[in-house]
Amino acid sequence: SVLGLADGSSIWVLGRGGLTTYQPDIGWATEELNPADWIGNITITFNPGSSTMPSLTAEFGMYVTNFANSTMDASIFSTFNPAGTVAGNSFTMGTGGHQHFQWAFTELGQYDLSFTWTGTHVTDGLISTEATFSVQAVPEPSTIAMLGIAGGVGVIAVVRRKAQRSAGQANA
C-alpha cells in the first residue's frame, strides 16, 4: 500500500483524477520545455528525508488512477513504502507533456514535501533543482454543513428584510 493503512481508513486527497469533479487537478508539466533542448527525460524525485510531516505517524503518498478513478494504476511516491513505488520514489516524464496525480495524506496538518527535478540540457549539461511544497491537509466541510450555513444566511436575510419593512411602515 502507498500509505500503509487498512482498508476503510480515512485519508485526505488532493487532486481529482478521472471523472471526479470539484477538486483541483494537481500535477506537473514539462510542456514549456522544448524537447530539442533536452537529452532524454526529466526525473522528479521525492525526498522523504528532507520532507516534514505533521507527526511521526503521518504518511504521504502520490498515485495515479484509471480514468474512471476507480482503481490505482501506479504508486509514484510514498513515505511508507518507497520500494513499492514505480521507481523508488522517482518519476520520469518526457519533455512537452504533463501528468496529473492524487496526493494522499494520512493525517490532518501541514506537510512540507521536498522534490528534486533533474534533466540533461543540450547546452548546459546536467541541471538539478529542489523545491519544497507546503500542503495543509484540512477536513472538508460536509455538504449538509454547507447547506445549513447557506440556510442560516437565508433566514437572517429574510428576518432583516421583514424588520426593515416593519420599521419603514412604522415611520410612514
Side-chain angles (χ1 to χ4, degrees):
S1 153
V2 70
L3 296 172
L5 297 175
D7 287 346
S9 297
S10 294
I11 63 170
W12 290 264
V13 178
L14 176 64
R16 66 181 178 91
L19 302 172
T20 359
T21 55
Y22 308 116
Q23 286 190 23
D25 212 1
I26 306 297
W28 284 302
T30 58
E31 293 163 323
E32 295 177 3
L33 299 177
N34 182 348
D37 292 340
W38 297 89
I39 300 169
N41 295 321
I42 305 298
T43 300
I44 304 166
T45 304
F46 172 55
N47 308 312
S50 301
S51 299
T52 57
M53 309 297 152
S55 77
L56 294 175
T57 58
E59 301 290 352
F60 159 75
M62 184 180 289
Y63 56 91
V64 292
T65 60
N66 65 352
F67 186 71
N69 206 23
S70 60
T71 60
M72 183 187 304
D73 280 351
S75 173
I76 307 300
F77 304 127
S78 173
T79 55
F80 175 73
N81 185 14
T85 64
V86 172
N89 274 342
S90 287
F91 177 75
T92 303
M93 55 188 301
T95 54
H98 70 272
Q99 179 67 50
H100 300 255
F101 306 98
Q102 286 72 43
W103 302 49
F105 309 92
T106 61
E107 295 181 14
L108 297 175
Q110 182 163 327
Y111 293 74
D112 295 317
L113 307 170
S114 173
F115 298 91
T116 302
W117 286 260
T118 306
T120 304
H121 190 265
V122 171
T123 305
D124 300 324
L126 184 66
I127 296 175
S128 183
T129 189
E130 186 174 327
T132 299
F133 291 82
S134 293
V135 179
Q136 186 77 28
V138 296
E140 183 175 329
S142 71
T143 303
I144 294 171
M146 294 305 286
L147 289 173
I149 291 169
V153 168
V155 168
I156 290 169
V158 168
V159 169
R160 290 186 81 182
R161 273 196 182 161
K162 284 185 178 184
Q164 287 172 348
R165 284 185 191 153
S166 295
Q169 289 173 353
N171 292 334

